[in-house]
């Protein structure tokens, strides 16, 4: 028994230590740093208490509210899109058609393309004058857009570029769908129900745990959007795509204000925690776990 | 039973953590040059190592390597360890500084972290070396290539000065029967003359020019001019018009003043009124200067002289003239700099290395290719030395000597990043406001006035005057 415990701890030690050293340690450090005026280049670091947090919430830092607003808008636009579209695609990929494996591969493929490469592709596709998308639209006599280069179109455009990387969300939905027992559908067939009945009475209730998981992961991922601002827009035009994490990065690594950037990071952490908590709480009323009570 | 298990785990965790911490420490050790002097073949003098970080393309790194070879040959007791950081240079250097893993000498950019570091006393004052050195002094260097935290505190010296010129495709002018831009600064075009020529050279898909009443600005095939909306380019015209980013006494925000506003407005008018220059959105379609000129997408473009390197490889008739003049002929001089970190234990050797890096003989390939210009002044004034990098070369067309070489020596203006304190934070306000000007949604006056108050709050003074 004692020996088993020892080996158990020995084998989990890399994971535990990895977490302690590379996640927990830095987190505590950043919490402490957020209470100081730590600047990488400064020899002296002074304890400033809650000064950074006061500066954030007092409205003195306009870019904080601006970037927060932009990020909320992005989350609001992206999360429902990702969930609906990836669920829709998963339903299609779950059909028993020829070449199903190929379609599944195609959908997942963009997820393994490096973020930088796919951003470059989208920059070309969305180019207002030469891009494929605008030239298709104008050929169909539809209105074109400035996409990433327009103040009002930049956030929807970024959402669009991130949608092509939903492969992993689709895969998780597929796993959820394939876990639904056939008998339920057969029961509906016997009762004379159609595909809509199957969807609303069996499929959706049975995948609510998957929807729940994907929603949480998408919310977290959307709040942390960075690559797109860094590569596609640099926060422009006119600061309309100044995502929160991009602003945080700029504060920490360009301006070297690590203390302030740590405060920004902790505010984001609390925001994400809050929304995750809300979704968890709400899940009691809509997530159904087979073979158990509601969560 | 529970107690011992817990302590076993704790002890193990502690041991592993300790090991991790220790190994992290020992990694930093080799930075201490004393520890690396194990070879023992250097005779009486201990062998020392200088670490140096640079960015740049492989072609740009090659001359550093050559300079290092020359330097090591002359100083056998010194070994230079070159660290080439190709991407995210500033982020990585910031991390190195945070981790006390600092190089001895580093290439720095005046617009980013060089001044924030200097303000925290991270660099040697190179003035002290310049004062005692017999080979170089500020007078032997091209003006505007040293960067100072404040008068008398030099934090970096640029190895390759760059100025701006008006690059153009000679064939377009020949075909249109228009005289190309003059290369002599005395004959430089006025702004209005420039606009007139640009109009004649802006052509839509029906063959009409911007000077034509039937001209369709939505279907432009060839732009007469391309003036980028980057501060490096528009600063030339602000200075030329007598404006500045900040007032001479360093107390007032300058971009909402009449001279600067007029210059910004005139550039915006090129895009939105005269339709001769691509907007920021359209310029996403404009390829790099060499391709834009070669494919006749653009007739003339204001760009840094580094563009000559790519132009030379493109094999077409390009040339360079002086930029149009608003009031005074001026060119902004921009370059990276070499700085020596205070933490270096071998400042004297680092200084010698810095001098070797400034030596044009080492970077002669970069000079003849067209990417760089030399740092020492005599390479501009001594005809034999000047010939080495300006004559009989693809990258040096006929207008080059007058339009670039003469202008940088006599009409140079320091880059705003070199003397405006808090430049980045000011530009964080200016750039978004200017987006609206380039799009024609606001006048330059409106846009600059709208942020003037906030920008004024970010004004921290000038580096080139004593306070």
């Amino acid at each position: 028994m004692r020996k088993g415990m020892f080996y158990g701890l020995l084998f989990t030690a890399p994971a535990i230590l990895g977490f302690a050293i590379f996640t927990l340690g830095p987190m505590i450090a950043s919490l402490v740093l957020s209470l100081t005026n730590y600047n990488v280049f400064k020899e002296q670091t002074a304890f400033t208490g809650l000064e950074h947090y006061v500066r954030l919430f007092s409205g003195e830092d306009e870019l904080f509210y601006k970037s927060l607003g932009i990020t909320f808008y992005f989350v609001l636009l992206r999360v429902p899109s990702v969930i609906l579209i990836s669920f829709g695609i998963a339903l299609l990929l779950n059909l028993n058609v020829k070449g199903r494996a190929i379609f599944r591969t195609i959908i997942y493929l963009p997820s393994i393309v490096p973020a930088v490469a796919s951003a470059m592709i989208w920059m070309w596709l969305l180019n207002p004058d030469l891009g494929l998308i605008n030239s298709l639209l104008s050929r169909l006599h539809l209105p074109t857009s400035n996409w990433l280069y327009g103040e009002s179109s930049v956030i929807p455009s970024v959402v669009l570029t991130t949608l092509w990387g939903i492969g992993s969300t689709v895969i998780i939905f597929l796993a959820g769908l394939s876990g639904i027992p056939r008998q339920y559908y057969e029961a509906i067939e016997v009762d004379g129900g159609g595909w809509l009945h199957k969807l609303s009475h069996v499929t959706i209730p049975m995948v609510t745990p998957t929807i729940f998981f994907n929603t949480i992961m998408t919310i977290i991922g959307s709040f942390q959007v960075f690559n797109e601002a860094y590569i596609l827009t640099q926060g422009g035009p006119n600061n309309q795509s100044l995502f929160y994490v991009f602003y945080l990065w700029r504060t920490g690594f360009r301006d070297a204000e690590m203390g302030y950037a740590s405060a920004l990071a902790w505010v984001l952490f609390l925001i994400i925690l809050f929304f995750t908590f809300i979704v968890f709480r709400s899940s009691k009323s809509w997530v159904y776990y087979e073979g158990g009570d509601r969560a | 039973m529970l107690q011992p298990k817990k302590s076993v785990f704790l002890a193990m965790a502690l041991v592993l953590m300790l090991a991790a911490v220790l190994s992290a420490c020992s990694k930093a050790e080799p930075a201490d040059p004393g520890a690396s002097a194990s070879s023992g073949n250097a005779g009486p003098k201990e062998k020392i190592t200088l670490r140096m970080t640079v960015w740049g393309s492989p072609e740009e790194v090659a001359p550093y390597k050559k300079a290092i070879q020359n330097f090591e040959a002359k100083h056998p007791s010194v070994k230079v360890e070159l660290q080439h950081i190709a991407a995210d240079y500033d982020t990585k250097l910031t991390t190195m500084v945070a981790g006390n893993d600092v190089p001895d000498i580093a290439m720095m950019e005046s617009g980013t972290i060089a001044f924030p570091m200097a303000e925290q006393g991270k660099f040697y004052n190179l003035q002290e070396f310049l004062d005692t050195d017999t080979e170089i002094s500020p007078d032997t260097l091209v003006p505007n290539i040293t960067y100072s935290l404040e008068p008398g505190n030099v934090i970096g010296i640029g190895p390759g000065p760059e100025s701006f010129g008006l690059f153009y495709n000679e064939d377009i002018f020949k075909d249109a029967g228009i005289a190309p831009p003059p290369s002599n600064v005395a004959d430089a075009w006025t702004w209005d003359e420039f606009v007139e020529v640009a109009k004649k050279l802006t052509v839509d898909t029906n063959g009409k020019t911007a000077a034509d009443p039937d001209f369709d600005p939505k279907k432009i095939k060839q732009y007469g001019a391309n003036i980028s909306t980057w501060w490096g380019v528009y600063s030339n015209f602000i200075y030329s018009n007598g404006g500045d980013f900040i007032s001479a006494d360093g107390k007032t925000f300058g971009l909402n003043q009449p001279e600067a506003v007029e210059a910004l407005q005139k550039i915006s008018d090129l895009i939105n009124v005269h339709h001769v220059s691509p907007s920021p959105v359209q310029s996403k379609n404009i390829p790099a200067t060499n391709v834009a000129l070669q494919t006749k997408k653009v007739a003339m473009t204001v760009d840094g002289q580094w563009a000559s390197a790519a132009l030379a490889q493109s094999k077409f008739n390009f040339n360079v003239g002086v930029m149009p003049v608003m009031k005074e002929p001026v060119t902004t001089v921009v370059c990276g700099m070499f700085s020596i970190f205070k933490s270096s234990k071998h400042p004297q050797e680092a200084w010698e290395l810095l001098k070797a890096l400034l030596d044009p003989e080492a970077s002669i390939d970069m000079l003849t290719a067209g990417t760089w210009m030399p740092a020492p002044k005599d390479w501009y004034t001594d005809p034999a030395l000047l010939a080495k990098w300006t004559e009989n070369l693809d990258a040096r067309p006929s207008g080059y000597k007058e339009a670039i070489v003469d202008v940088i020596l006599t009409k140079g203006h320091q880059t705003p990043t070199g003397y405006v304190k808090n430049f980045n934070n000011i530009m964080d306000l200016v750039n978004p406001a200017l987006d609206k000007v380039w799009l024609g949604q606001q006048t330059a006056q409106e846009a600059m006035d709208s942020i003037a108050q906030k920008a004024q709050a970010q004004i921290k003074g000038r580096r080139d005057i004593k306070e």
Side-chain angles (χ1 to χ4, degrees), chain A residues 72 98 130 139 146 153 164 174 185 223 237 239 245 251 277:
Chain A
F72 271 119
K98 238 187 175 171
L130 296 176
R139 198 154 296 176
N146 275 343
S153 57
W164 103 307
L174 269 174
Y185 293 117
F223 270 114
N239 279 342
V245 179
T251 310
F277 177 75

Side-chain angles (χ1 to χ4, degrees), chain A residues 17 42 127 129 230 238 254, chain B residues 16 88 120 285 428 435:
Chain A
L17 286 174
K42 266 185 202 155
N127 186 302
D129 285 354
Y230 184 67
N238 192 18
R254 194 198 69 185
Chain B
L16 273 168
D88 289 329
Q120 301 303 329
N285 306 328
D428 279 347
D435 281 346

Side-chain angles (χ1 to χ4, degrees), chain B residues 161-374:
Chain B
E162 302 281 1
S163 68
F164 291 86
L166 187 60
F167 291 88
Y168 61 94
N169 181 328
E170 280 187 321
D171 293 339
I172 294 179
F173 281 85
K174 221 175 274 167
D175 294 344
I178 297 171
S183 57
N184 192 304
V185 73
D187 308 325
W189 280 339
T190 64
W191 187 260
D192 291 339
E193 286 171 328
F194 167 68
V195 173
E196 283 316 305
V197 174
K199 276 186 182 171
K200 286 181 200 155
L201 294 175
T202 304
V203 187
D204 68 11
T205 47
N206 297 322
K208 306 273 189 219
T209 72
D212 227 304
D214 302 333
F215 171 74
D216 182 358
K218 288 214 167 70
K219 292 186 171 160
I220 297 173
K221 192 174 73 181
Q222 173 182 297
Y223 287 97
N226 184 14
I227 303 243
S228 142
T229 51
W230 170 45
W231 61 259
V233 169
Y234 67 69
S235 65
N236 285 289
F237 299 102
I238 287 176
Y239 297 140
S240 176
N241 207 33
D244 204 334
F245 290 73
I246 188 171
S247 65
D249 63 1
K251 295 204 168 105
T252 321
F253 177 58
L255 290 182
N256 65 338
Q257 300 302 308
E259 298 84 3
V261 164
E262 192 188 3
L264 292 169
Q265 189 61 50
K266 280 183 168 170
I267 294 169
S268 167
D269 287 350
L270 286 182
I271 301 166
N272 298 301
V273 176
H274 307 302
H275 305 292
V276 298
S277 182
S279 71
V281 173
Q282 290 157 336
S283 64
K284 305 283 176 197
N285 306 328
I286 303 287
T289 292
N290 58 326
V291 182
L293 291 182
Q294 187 180 23
T295 57
K296 301 190 178 174
K297 186 100 186 141
V298 173
M300 38 184 180
T301 182
V302 171
D303 205 339
Q305 78 81 37
W306 58 80
S308 349
L311 283 163
Q313 286 166 8
S314 296
K315 305 285 175 210
F316 71 102
N317 294 324
F318 81 95
N319 209 332
V320 58
V322 281
M323 290 179 289
V325 171
M326 287 194 174
K327 283 184 190 143
E328 289 291 321
V330 179
T331 185
T332 306
V333 180
V334 295
C335 57
M337 64 175 110
F338 284 118
S339 299
I340 300 175
F341 274 94
K342 246 317 176 6
S343 53
S344 169
K345 293 199 176 71
H346 313 286
Q348 201 55 46
E349 286 82 359
W351 170 251
E352 294 298 325
L353 173 60
L354 191 152
K355 283 186 354 190
L357 291 160
L358 293 186
D359 181 7
E361 293 289 1
S363 51
I364 193 74
D365 291 342
M366 292 289 286
L367 295 169
T368 55
T371 313
W372 282 2
M373 297 169 84

Side-chain angles (χ1 to χ4, degrees), chain A residues 2 5-6 9-10 13 17 21 38 40-43 62 127-130 146 149 151 230 237-239 250 253-255, chain B residues 1 5 8-9 12 16-17 88 91 94 97-98 113 116-117 120 122 281-282 284-285 424-425 428 432 435-436 441 454:
Chain A
R2 212 186 131 179
M5 188 70 164
F6 173 78
L9 283 172
L10 184 71
L17 286 174
I21 296 170
Y38 175 56
V40 180
F41 309 138
K42 266 185 202 155
E43 302 292 344
E62 284 174 35
N127 186 302
D129 285 354
L130 296 176
N146 275 343
Y149 310 110
E151 273 187 54
Y230 184 67
N238 192 18
N239 279 342
R250 200 168 85 176
F253 287 94
R254 194 198 69 185
D255 304 341
Chain B
M1 267 316 256
K5 271 177 226 156
V8 163
F9 170 68
M12 202 169 67
L16 273 168
M17 262 189 213
D88 289 329
T91 310
T94 303
V97 170
I113 57 173
M117 280 192 179
Q120 301 303 329
K122 293 285 178 198
V281 173
Q282 290 157 336
K284 305 283 176 197
N285 306 328
N424 276 337
N425 288 327
D428 279 347
D435 281 346
K436 291 189 176 259
Q441 293 166 346
K454 279 188 240 157

Side-chain angles (χ1 to χ4, degrees), chain B residues 393-412:
Chain B
L393 295 165
D394 290 341
R396 309 301 183 192
S398 61
Y400 188 83
K401 221 190 117 314
E402 282 183 321
I404 301 287
V405 176
D406 292 354
V407 172
I408 196 174
L409 268 195
T410 56
K411 309 291 179 195

